[in-house]
Amino acid sequence: MTNDQPAIPPEWQEKLAQFEWRRERARELGGARRVQRAHERGQLTIRERLAKATTSFHEIGEFATYDDVDALGTLRSQMPASYVMGLGEFGGRHVAIGGEDFTVRAGAPQTYLDRMKGGLGGFVEDLAHEYRIPLVMFMEGIGGDIAASGEKGHSYLVSSLSWGRSYELLGEVPVLAMVSGASAGGTAGRTVLSHFSVMTKDSVFFSGGPPLVERALGKLPDKYELGGAKVATRSGAIDNLADDEDDAIAQMERFLSYLPQNVWQMPPRTPTDDPVDRPIDRILEKIPTNNRRPYKATDITSFIVDIDSFFEIGKHWGKAVTTGLARIDGIPVGIVASNPMHLGGAMDAHAAEKQIRFVDMCSTFHLPIVYFADVPGFMVGPDAERANVVRWGMRAIQSLIEADVPVVTIQVRKAYGMAVSATSDPDGLSLRIAWPTAEWGDLPVEGGVEAGFAREIEDSPDPEAYRAAINENFKNIADPWRTVEAFGVEAMIDPRETRVMVADFLNASLHRVETDLGPSKRRWTMRP
Amino acid sequence: MSHQPLSPTASSVWKIVKSAGASVSAGDEIVILESMKMEIPVTAEADGIITKIFVEEGQAVDEDDPIAEIE
């Protein structure tokens, strides 16, 4: 083969030799010793991550350089800049993709360059914005560091940095972030400006690391207790947990598979061989008719969505609601389901916050929402009040009303109190489909009678008998069939008919979705 | 191999269904917790024999507290 290649003209040899020398140096990252340390921790370098994640990659800013100076400003060596990025093919589609190089100054921002490559704005984010393609970020860095002042000869006021592009992208294209290693300070901040974030189980994520905490609070915490994956995925800072980098990359690909390239396009419908009229008789075994018996939300939703199509998001926090992406008849949809296994499905502040984030994301990318409601109310009790459950709950209602997408609600069992308004879209079509297990009201009859008629019961000659009589009366009134007859709920169906019915409504709703593309048109710019 | 089923949520122990020494199959209910008026079963993840029940009826448990040990 080499014999067939024409000889390189002599005047080109020197130019190409220099090119190759520079390219080799760029490939060395922060040096063999630092690369080896990453490998010993079981981590990939940024170049290895990019090679693993992409099927094609065209690098930009390959030869941008960082001058490594000592504390007094004397040049020690030159290294590649601390961010690697370009145009990649990821999950079969074009993306802007990049990440901090932790082997170069712990991935600190490239304020030493004329133009940032990425990490906070920079070329990679401009590429996502201008071409309207998703942004995939590998987050490993400690944010800013003091060395930057040494390089510039002055310290800078941090608010000179622009965050505008990073926030703007949230309303334009899917933004995905993976944490492997340490993500702290500014890098942590950039991580949460994403629609989906995932971290490997041995990584850490925090506002400030243990040394900073010790200086501020006088106590040196263990880094995993401070910001290990268990902390970050339970606080909701990070959406999902991954076993390792392979798993994290696979989860990002999976997430992206439900989303369009940008908000001006339809979410990608995929062909399915799972018929909408697939018999789902066994769903009846999974819905307890005894309302004191809980069930796992996913045990029910799995009958309705296409087989193996559910991808859960935020499993470890706000567990009173389960959220995730799925397909029904191949149509990408957002699934929200009350989860009676946690707090009996009562919506607490964390569950509301998680739901808002998810609903906002579905609305942004035009994913219809199917809500499986079984909610005894907003959570009550001292912990709930301290966590500001009422405000978060009212925000959850607002986000669902504002959602620009069709919402289909399945009334599974309980629907009590204000929290019910956070399960449907009363200002849209408000399609609420009840199952015969459904029950609803301002308050459950047992609690409601006590609250509403305490005086009357007390004053009666036989309080016990009077209470029983009131209970009986209100139980009759609470019979959900009475509401069905009054058209106070849009439909009552056999649960076994649900998949085929929801699929038909979703198919019809696409006429609306297709003619409603573009950036979100939120009506109310202020959340309470 | 042994495993310890954990409490899925902060709750109180409502009923101990199986006692130490009992053999169980995967999915069998060992203890039923109560939270928000819901009966939340804690089940065996695999077949085995219960070697220890860590909780008593009426006791408050936190999320992720071990409920029993199964060999």
Side-chain angles (χ1 to χ4, degrees):
Chain A
M1 287 292 285
T2 47
N3 291 341
D4 299 337
Q5 283 181 351
I8 294 170
E11 66 270 28
W12 269 94
Q13 285 177 6
E14 194 191 335
K15 283 190 189 302
L16 291 181
Q18 193 193 56
F19 181 85
E20 284 308 322
W21 174 77
R22 284 179 179 273
R23 173 163 278 178
E24 245 172 65
R25 202 182 58 169
R27 296 285 184 275
E28 287 168 4
L29 303 170
R33 192 169 53 88
R34 292 191 178 108
V35 169
Q36 192 190 335
R37 267 205 302 227
H39 288 161
E40 282 165 6
R41 288 193 301 264
Q43 287 177 260
L44 300 176
T45 65
I46 181 58
R47 287 191 177 279
E48 290 164 341
R49 275 174 198 149
L50 288 163
K52 184 162 243 181
T54 59
T55 40
S56 80
F57 179 62
H58 290 286
E59 188 169 349
I60 295 294
E62 186 178 4
F63 304 120
T65 303
Y66 164 60
D67 289 338
D68 180 29
V69 294
D70 66 17
L72 298 176
T74 316
L75 184 68
R76 279 191 296 221
S77 66
Q78 284 190 312
M79 292 184 192
S82 49
Y83 201 91
V84 184
M85 59 87 189
L87 174 67
E89 188 179 271
F90 177 81
R93 43 166 98 182
H94 276 127
V95 298
I97 188 166
E100 286 84 8
D101 178 0
F102 200 74
T103 66
V104 177
R105 222 175 75 187
Q110 319 93 62
T111 48
Y112 44 85
L113 298 175
D114 281 358
R115 182 181 183 181
M116 290 267 280
K117 293 176 75 178
L120 175 61
F123 182 92
V124 75
E125 296 191 21
D126 294 342
L127 176 61
H129 167 76
E130 291 292 338
Y131 285 12
R132 297 182 176 175
I133 56 177
L135 174 65
V136 179
M137 307 180 295
F138 297 105
M139 313 301 304
E140 188 186 12
I142 54 159
D145 66 358
I146 192 139
S149 322
E151 288 150 11
K152 282 175 173 280
H154 62 270
S155 59
Y156 68 92
L157 188 56
V158 173
S159 53
S160 317
L161 288 172
S162 170
W163 291 83
R165 175 72 81 224
S166 305
Y167 282 100
E168 185 178 27
L169 286 175
L170 288 174
E172 296 179 338
V173 298
V175 179
L176 292 77
M178 176 185 113
V179 175
S180 175
S183 173
T187 312
R190 183 65 190 89
T191 304
V192 302
L193 302 186
S194 61
H195 298 101
F196 177 68
S197 58
V198 56
M199 80 190 279
T200 59
K201 63 181 182 209
D202 48 4
S203 297
V204 290
F205 170 96
F206 25 58
S207 165
L212 209 63
V213 173
E214 186 181 29
R215 276 207 303 280
L217 304 174
K219 197 175 159 204
L220 184 69
D222 172 79
K223 70 173 180 177
Y224 292 107
E225 280 175 23
L226 179 67
K230 209 171 169 180
V231 176
T233 55
R234 287 184 178 207
S235 70
I238 301 290
D239 294 308
N240 277 22
L241 183 64
D243 286 333
D244 51 29
E245 295 196 20
D246 283 352
D247 181 22
I249 290 169
Q251 287 196 42
M252 288 199 291
E253 270 192 48
R254 181 99 194 261
F255 175 86
L256 196 54
S257 73
Y258 300 90
L259 267 61
Q261 285 292 78
N262 57 55
V263 301
W264 291 268
Q265 293 179 359
M266 280 291 283
R269 186 173 188 169
T270 48
T272 174
D273 49 14
D274 186 10
V276 291
D277 57 355
R278 157 168 55 87
I280 55 168
D281 294 20
R282 306 203 74 159
I283 194 172
L284 299 181
E285 296 166 19
K286 298 289 181 187
I287 311 165
T289 52
N290 173 356
N291 70 8
R292 277 177 58 82
R293 295 297 279 185
Y295 55 86
K296 256 173 75 181
T298 47
D299 282 350
I300 289 189
T301 57
S302 62
F303 284 96
I304 309 304
V305 303
D306 293 350
I307 288 170
D308 293 332
S309 74
F310 183 70
F311 176 61
E312 185 163 357
I313 297 170
K315 183 177 185 174
H316 302 285
W317 76 298
K319 291 195 272 189
V321 295
T322 296
T323 54
L325 297 171
R327 290 189 177 80
I328 296 178
D329 198 18
I331 301 168
V333 293
I335 300 290
V336 187
S338 311
N339 180 24
M341 292 297 281
H342 190 78
L343 307 180
M347 184 177 279
D348 63 349
H350 252 189
E353 185 186 350
K354 170 168 141 180
Q355 177 174 315
I356 292 165
R357 174 167 160 74
F358 184 74
V359 166
D360 284 355
M361 192 273 290
C362 289
S363 177
T364 299
F365 294 108
H366 319 296
L367 296 156
I369 293 167
V370 182
Y371 201 123
F372 294 79
D374 186 355
V375 62
F378 287 141
M379 186 60 190
V380 295
D383 288 346
E385 304 301 345
R386 274 194 291 269
N388 199 5
V389 61
V390 177
R391 186 180 299 283
W392 279 108
M394 296 314 289
R395 287 175 177 170
I397 293 173
Q398 183 194 27
S399 81
L400 208 49
I401 294 174
E402 277 189 313
D404 280 334
V405 291
V407 179
V408 178
T409 303
I410 311 297
Q411 305 290 155
V412 177
R413 289 197 315 192
K414 295 176 190 166
Y416 290 113
M418 275 190 303
V420 182
S421 292
T423 65
S424 69
D425 179 11
D427 288 331
L429 181 63
S430 189
L431 175 59
R432 298 163 301 171
I433 301 170
W435 289 346
T437 38
E439 47 177 297
W440 44 64
D442 291 325
L443 273 175
V445 167
E446 308 91 58
V449 165
E450 294 299 331
F453 301 99
R455 190 68 176 272
E456 238 177 274
I457 292 170
E458 205 179 293
D459 292 348
S460 100
D462 183 351
E464 276 314 307
Y466 196 69
R467 180 187 288 116
I470 303 178
N471 262 320
E472 189 54 32
N473 182 33
F474 276 91
K475 264 190 186 145
N476 288 335
I477 291 173
D479 179 351
W481 280 107
R482 290 199 179 197
T483 317
V484 174
E485 287 163 6
F487 198 46
V489 60
E490 285 68 33
M492 173 77 96
I493 65 168
D494 179 331
R496 294 171 293 180
E497 299 163 354
T498 310
R499 178 170 155 82
V500 68
M501 180 170 177
V502 169
D504 203 25
F505 272 86
L506 285 174
N507 272 293
S509 80
L510 294 185
H511 295 290
R512 163 69 185 266
V513 178
E514 282 164 2
T515 49
D516 222 6
L517 298 176
S520 174
K521 302 175 284 288
R522 267 173 62 170
R523 264 190 287 168
W524 304 309
T525 52
M526 167 89 190
R527 288 228 190 278
Chain B
M1 280 294 285
S2 68
H3 73 278
Q4 295 186 343
L6 307 176
S7 164
T9 184
S11 51
S12 65
V13 179
W14 182 60
K15 197 187 222 172
I16 306 221
V17 182
K18 293 264 167 57
S19 31
S23 64
V24 287
S25 307
D28 281 359
E29 291 182 3
I30 304 163
V31 163
I32 299 176
L33 307 172
E34 184 176 35
S35 169
M36 293 292 290
K37 295 186 181 171
M38 300 294 277
E39 298 163 14
I40 299 164
V42 177
T43 56
E45 286 155 31
D47 298 356
I49 291 170
I50 299 174
T51 53
K52 194 158 175 37
I53 301 274
F54 295 115
V55 294
E56 291 171 7
E57 285 181 6
Q59 181 186 332
V61 291
D62 271 332
E63 185 175 343
D64 285 349
D65 278 358
I67 299 298
E69 184 162 78
I70 297 169
E71 284 278 343

